[in-house]
Amino acid sequence: MFDIAQVHAAPSADLLTPDNSVMLFIDHQPQMFFGTGSGDRAAIINSTVGLAKAARAFDVPAVLTTVAAESFSGPLLPQLAAVFPGPKAVDRTSMNAWEDEALVEAVRATGRKKIVLSGLWTEVCLVLPALSALAQGYEVYVVTDASGGVSPAAHEHALQRMLAAGAVPVTWVQVLLELQRDWARSETYGAVMEIVKEHAGAYGLGVVYAQTVIGAHAAG
């Protein structure tokens, strides 16, 4: 029930923060990219790397997983592996990552309830763990532009299925800016601006222009 007396300046508990979220990157591998046809593959790679750098900038735990890396799908996307040189991807055989004990334990060990999920393909390796995690009480945020399916229809129908189950669609820039949420947060401002300039297309060019013309601390 709405009570105007309770209205005050405070963020919603639904918002992603560096302290309540974990990022799960699923099967960003060569063979999976070869079969992706729902969008421009270079754009998906760019969004994935931008999302990964957002996790690094805000110290959000990241769990990486691959499927059949040595026998079929190939290694983790090199640009993604370069962002996280420490943790090794959990390789598995199951199409549903949430049926792999090591993967689930890695997510559980973070203690976070909000899973920021991205991967290939949307209609298989993304939708299956999304539905499984939701069924166990997790909140799932699907990064649509850092994910891809074999066709536009496959991608869209899988998104619809996840949304119907309670998942929340987001984009990688949305996640980045939601984590920042205040341009006065100087400890992460510089890193955010560098990520934007490198990966956010026209928005990034706008930041370059603003910082050149207005000054180095022009807000995003």
Side-chain angles (χ1 to χ4, degrees):
M1 181 180 294
F2 176 68
D3 181 359
I4 198 167
Q6 299 300 315
V7 175
H8 59 290
S12 166
D14 289 335
L15 295 181
L16 296 168
T17 74
D19 300 319
N20 68 15
S21 54
V22 53
M23 294 199 191
L24 177 52
F25 295 86
I26 297 181
D27 305 348
H28 292 93
Q29 298 166 263
Q31 188 64 251
M32 307 306 291
F33 272 108
F34 295 158
T36 297
S38 61
D40 180 72
R41 285 172 285 190
I44 296 172
I45 291 172
N46 176 72
S47 297
T48 301
V49 177
L51 180 67
K53 289 181 178 179
R56 185 177 64 184
F58 289 93
D59 292 324
V60 174
V63 178
L64 314 171
T65 183
T66 54
V67 62
E70 295 186 5
S71 60
F72 179 74
S73 302
L76 187 70
L77 179 69
Q79 299 95 314
L80 181 56
V83 178
F84 303 114
K88 189 174 181 180
V90 177
D91 194 46
R92 52 179 221 288
T93 59
S94 61
M95 286 183 276
N96 181 5
W98 209 259
E99 293 180 42
D100 186 273
E101 289 288 347
L103 184 282
V104 173
E105 177 54 34
V107 174
R108 185 167 51 204
T110 69
R112 312 298 179 84
K113 187 178 180 181
K114 297 180 185 289
I115 300 176
V116 180
L117 185 66
S118 63
L120 308 175
W121 298 319
T122 321
E123 69 273 24
V124 183
C125 298
L126 207 62
V127 71
L128 300 182
L131 296 179
S132 302
L134 285 165
Q136 294 182 16
Y138 280 91
E139 299 172 27
V140 176
Y141 298 76
V142 182
V143 189
T144 60
D145 54 356
S147 306
V150 299
S151 69
H155 180 68
E156 183 59 34
H157 294 163
L159 289 176
Q160 291 175 2
R161 186 179 180 189
M162 288 184 278
L163 269 54
V168 180
V170 293
T171 64
W172 82 266
V173 171
Q174 179 181 350
V175 172
L176 173 69
L177 299 185
E178 193 162 323
L179 293 173
Q180 176 67 22
R181 218 174 65 235
D182 189 337
W183 294 122
R185 289 179 177 161
S186 58
E187 64 272 17
T188 50
Y189 176 85
V192 168
M193 287 296 95
E194 288 306 309
I195 295 169
V196 166
K197 286 189 286 187
E198 187 172 359
H199 296 283
Y203 174 26
L205 288 177
V207 171
V208 171
Y209 175 82
Q211 290 184 341
T212 301
V213 176
I214 303 172
H217 299 290

